[in-house]
Amino acid sequence: MNGRFPALQRPWLREALWCVLIAPMVAAPLLGAAPRLLLAIGSALAFWRAYVIGKRAMQARQHDVALPFGTHGNWMLLASLAVVLAPHALRMPAWLSVLVALFIGWRIGVMRGVLGRRLLPPSRLLLVSMVSASSLGVFMQYGTLFGRDPGVALLSIMIAMKLLELRSRRDATVLVFLAYFLVITNFLYSQTLPTALLMLVAVWMVTSTMIGFHQREPRFRQTASLAAQLLVQAVPLMIVLFLFFPRLPGPLWGLPRDAGHGVTGLSDSMSPGSFSQLSASADVAFRVEFAGPMPRAQDLYWRGPVFWQFDGRAWTIGSAPPGPGTQPVVRALSEPVAYAVTLEPHFERWLLALDMPTALPPEARMSSEFVLLANGQVRNRVRYEGRAALDYRANENETEANLRRALQLPAGLNPRTLALAAEMRAGGLSPEQVVERVLERFRTEDFFYTTNPPLLDSQHTVDQFLFESRRGFCEHYASAFTVLMRAAGVPARVVTGYQGGVVNPVGNYLVVRQAEAHAWSEVWLSGRGWIRVDPTGAVSPLRVESGIAASIRQGDPLPLMVRGSLPLLSRAGFAVDAVANAWNQWVLSYNNQRQQQLLRNLGIEAGDWKTLSVILLAGACAATLLAALLALRSLLPGREDPVVRAWERLCRKLARAGLVRAPGEGPTAFARRVATARPDLAVPVGEIAARYVRLRYQPPIPGLAAASGVTELDRRIRTLKT
């Protein structure tokens, strides 16, 4: 075909044909008649634009500069791409990482050779085949070419293959800009401070590489120093953009398919073993700063999902009874506690709150079970303020529908538990006495608290736990207690969340990790409303009073950061977490509310996009002016090069003796003219001129400090007698 149509041999025309042919083939089946017409017009415009740009590119390529093999820029480019690709190599499937490494190794073989022979770059046909095969492999791996993971994998492979056709400075420039783009993709996975520091190093290396490609004889020290100066000069503009660029309520990109991958935390159901699995996770769930004194450890219950429905094994939220919903009513009996929570993303709607919440954060509501719910899934780190009453009365006048709902049990399950409850009912015990009788049973009989309980494989899970295994985690005790209460006629439900936390003395805030996930029960008592009852505290009081680390045996699995058995590691962990928390508070949590607060502190009330645009423009101009002053500071009075100042001092000294240097006269020519006019000054002025040329124009001599050279130049000029 290329022989019959020689125009197709031009790359720009082939790319234009791909735009005009492939795009309609992919999109047309999904569109109607009118959108198809618009798509055809758009494709024609894209073809014409590709034609114009491609023709200009072909004309410019005739004057492109070839890139020699083995230069400083080649190795700097490889090192930069390696730093940017390294985090992705840990996330991509093994075969993709190996493929990227092979392509980079092939490029090194082209540059340096293998076993004494230099490898050849792939032909265009082979390169097109590799692109097609790699794209097909990515599609088969992920089932799509769209989304975060397949997109990043495809971009990484294409960058590695672009290295194989690196022949000119233009190709190198394309790779540099792709490397900048790849830096951004790392923040789709992690926005922590270590990631930011690593990407800052990557940007510095990529910038240094770009500078080296435009120098005749680049040196690493020079290009790296210039790149660092450029980044420092960009800091003022970066700060202005960060502070005043309009903040959107959500992320700038959507990741619907894989955004919640790998997130651990509370679930919308609870079954035996669900919380003991979380006990092995040291991930931070949230951090809390209190406005006043921190409550006691036994009062730190952080309320999450509430479960009503039990199927014999798992607890779920269930469906609300028909009719108007119950309004949550909390009567505080103590002074409310004010606090601020920085919640990590968990891709659910609930906001953890100190039990019992009495105030709502903005853009949230409270369910009938006193659970704080956000308007949408918590996909990003969020900070909110709350207030809670530690002594309270909650829904003292509960509806009959909810009370009946809190007594439901599946039929035909756990007969021994039902018999025990019937025995307590027959004794004429009041609801308060029933609660105390069950808690006393947990305290005095052989029940054990462990993160590694035996498997409950019977359909009567509560019977098996209460009368056989008697070893369990918080979910076992909360489930068994709630079933016993319902069977005894006491309305009860299961509440999940977190209990306790570890105080970080460096930042004076509370860190709550996933390992501190907890489950407890609530019973409804006439005249008192819903009352929290924690049966785990009856079995293991240390769990509530001192935290999970004090209640778990050394043999049970628990993260080191939670157990705190190594004081040195704990202190280092506190310091690292304090730095991470500061990064989260002042950088990642800088949202629209904090931006508006900053504007109010500056005396600006109207913080709409128009005002922000004016502030942003003014700030950008001021930052650019500041950067320009930093870049041109050597031209300001009193900031000249000391070597130049010394030479000008010599010129003034000789001018007073009648030897005036011409404006365009160089130091060597001036020294020769001085020697002709004044032979007695030939040697000292010649030595001074030679020293000036060496200090001003030649690279520094290894082992010779620049300051000592300037000092010697000053001494010779000062002692020169004219």
Side-chain angles (χ1 to χ4, degrees), residues 483-664:
V483 170
L484 265 173
M485 290 300 102
R486 290 187 174 189
V490 180
R493 60 192 182 190
V494 174
V495 183
T496 59
Y498 298 84
Q499 199 282 322
V502 178
V503 178
N504 187 325
V506 179
N508 193 28
Y509 58 88
L510 190 73
V511 182
V512 182
R513 300 182 182 274
Q514 297 294 350
E516 287 152 326
H518 195 55
W520 61 93
S521 299
E522 277 187 342
V523 298
W524 189 86
L525 302 177
S526 179
R528 299 179 61 184
W530 290 102
I531 302 299
R532 179 177 65 240
V533 181
D534 190 352
T536 303
V539 180
S540 177
L542 288 176
R543 170 63 184 92
V544 177
E545 298 172 0
S546 303
I548 188 173
S551 60
I552 296 299
R553 300 179 306 171
Q554 289 296 326
D556 285 355
L558 197 65
L560 287 176
M561 291 302 300
V562 179
R563 191 178 291 278
S565 56
L566 299 177
L568 182 61
L569 180 61
S570 298
R571 288 194 295 270
F574 287 143
V576 171
D577 190 81
V579 174
N581 182 60
W583 171 261
N584 295 338
Q585 297 296 328
W586 297 105
V587 178
L588 300 185
S589 296
Y590 185 75
N591 51 18
N592 183 57
Q593 288 77 19
R594 289 205 162 189
Q595 188 180 60
Q596 296 297 325
Q597 182 63 42
L598 174 64
L599 294 176
R600 286 192 292 269
N601 294 338
L602 296 176
I604 303 173
E605 293 297 333
D608 56 0
W609 68 271
K610 296 180 180 179
T611 305
L612 286 174
S613 299
V614 174
I615 297 174
L616 186 62
L617 181 60
C621 293
T624 304
L625 179 60
L626 178 60
L629 292 176
L630 290 175
L632 302 175
R633 65 188 185 279
S634 60
L635 301 180
L636 298 177
R639 295 303 302 270
E640 295 87 359
D641 190 334
V643 177
V644 176
R645 289 202 305 268
W647 176 254
E648 291 178 349
R649 190 161 57 252
L650 172 67
C651 293
R652 290 193 298 269
K653 193 171 187 177
L654 293 174
R656 288 193 294 268
L659 300 170
V660 180
R661 182 175 66 88

Side-chain angles (χ1 to χ4, degrees), residues 67-70 74 78 102-112 119 121 160 163-167:
L67 193 68
F69 294 111
N74 274 273
L78 287 175
L102 287 176
F103 290 149
I104 296 177
W106 193 343
R107 175 60 189 171
I108 296 175
V110 172
M111 293 167 50
R112 301 289 294 179
L119 299 180
L163 279 170
L164 298 177
E165 60 175 9
L166 179 60
R167 296 180 178 87

Side-chain angles (χ1 to χ4, degrees), residues 337-361:
V337 176
Y339 60 92
V341 175
T342 303
L343 180 64
E344 298 295 317
H346 54 74
F347 295 86
E348 299 290 349
R349 292 186 57 196
W350 47 75
L351 304 174
L352 280 302
L354 187 63
D355 208 9
M356 180 69 70
T358 59
L360 286 173

Side-chain angles (χ1 to χ4, degrees), residues 308 321 326 397-408 491 524:
W308 295 81
T326 305
N397 300 315
E398 187 59 273
T399 63
E400 290 296 329
N402 272 339
L403 293 180
R404 289 194 301 269
R405 186 185 181 194
L407 292 173
Q408 294 175 355
W524 189 86

Side-chain angles (χ1 to χ4, degrees), residues 58 61-62 136 165 174 215 230 236 250 290 296 379 413 439 442 470 479-480 494 512 555 576 594 655 703:
M58 291 297 293
R61 187 173 290 274
Q62 297 174 0
L136 180 61
E165 60 175 9
V174 171
Q215 291 183 347
L230 292 175
F290 289 93
R296 301 175 304 168
R379 294 180 173 270
L413 297 179
L439 293 179
F442 285 147
R470 297 195 170 197
S479 176
V494 174
V512 182
V576 171
R594 289 205 162 189

Side-chain angles (χ1 to χ4, degrees), residues 415-463:
R416 299 172 68 181
T417 302
L418 299 180
L420 177 61
E423 179 183 341
M424 288 188 290
R425 282 202 314 269
L429 300 178
S430 65
E432 291 84 354
Q433 292 173 327
V434 171
V435 171
E436 185 58 35
R437 175 70 63 86
V438 175
L439 293 179
E440 185 65 22
R441 181 185 180 92
F442 285 147
R443 292 191 194 100
T444 57
E445 297 187 10
D446 293 333
F447 285 92
F448 299 94
Y449 180 68
T450 175
T451 61
N452 192 22
L455 180 65
L456 301 179
D457 53 2
S458 170
Q459 63 173 337
H460 308 293
T461 55
V462 178
D463 281 358

Side-chain angles (χ1 to χ4, degrees), residues 236-247 590 595 616 620:
L237 182 59
M238 178 196 70
I239 294 176
V240 170
L241 291 174
F242 174 78
L243 293 177
F244 300 112
F245 193 85
R247 296 279 160 167
Y590 185 75
Q595 188 180 60
L616 186 62

